[in-house]
Amino acid sequence: MEAAFGSDVDHAMLVKMYGNDAEAETLYSPAECIGIQSAVITGRPNPNHISTSYVERQNWSVPTAMRRYARLSNGFSRKIENPAAAVALHYFACNFIKIHRTLRVTPAMAAGVTDHLWDAGDLVSLLEAQERAERAVA
C-alpha cells in the first residue's frame, strides 16, 4: 500500500473466520462465518467502513463489465497494452460517466474531482489535446 499510495492513506484489513459444518457443507454453499477480526494497517480508517463488501462488489463488477476477465471468455489479448486500455476505459466510465444509484452522481463528482457528467467525447477531447501537446514539444 505504501509503495503505491504513500503513507497518507487509511488502510485496514478485515479477516473472516469460518467454521466447518460437515453436515451443512455442499459443493456451492459457503461455510458459516463464526467471527470477524479487523486490524488497522496504516492511517486512521473509519471503523464503519472496514468491510469486505467493497472488494466483493469489485470482484463482481469487473468480470461482469469486462468480459475478457470472465472465466472461459474469448477476450484473450496478445499485448499487455490491450487489457490495460480496457481496464482504463472501464474505470473512466465507472468514475466519470456512470451515475451510481446510491450516490445519485458519478463517484468523481461525489469526490469533488469534477463538477459535471462526462461522456466519451470528453475523453476523446482529452486524448486529442494530449497528442497535440506532445507534437508541439517534439
Side-chain angles (χ1 to χ4, degrees), residues 107-124:
M109 292 169 72
V113 175
T114 185
D115 61 352
H116 67 281
L117 186 63
W118 289 49
D119 62 15
D122 294 325
L123 176 62
V124 171

Side-chain angles (χ1 to χ4, degrees), residues 48-112:
N48 296 331
H49 293 155
I50 300 173
S51 173
T52 59
S53 298
Y54 303 109
V55 73
E56 292 298 335
R57 175 63 187 206
Q58 189 76 1
N59 289 342
W60 178 81
S61 296
V62 170
T64 302
M66 294 186 297
R67 298 311 300 169
R68 69 177 57 236
Y69 290 107
R71 279 187 67 216
L72 306 175
S73 71
N74 59 357
F76 178 76
S77 297
R78 293 177 189 258
K79 299 187 321 186
I80 191 67
E81 293 84 4
N82 294 342
V87 169
L89 284 172
H90 168 73
Y91 283 105
F92 173 81
C94 285
N95 290 314
F96 288 88
I97 296 175
K98 182 183 176 194
I99 295 176
H100 288 243
R101 190 178 303 156
T102 56
L103 297 174
R104 296 197 174 110
V105 293
T106 66
M109 292 169 72

Side-chain angles (χ1 to χ4, degrees), residues 7-11 40-45:
S7 60
D8 190 28
V9 67
D10 296 332
H11 177 60
V40 173
I41 306 298
T42 183
R44 294 178 32 225

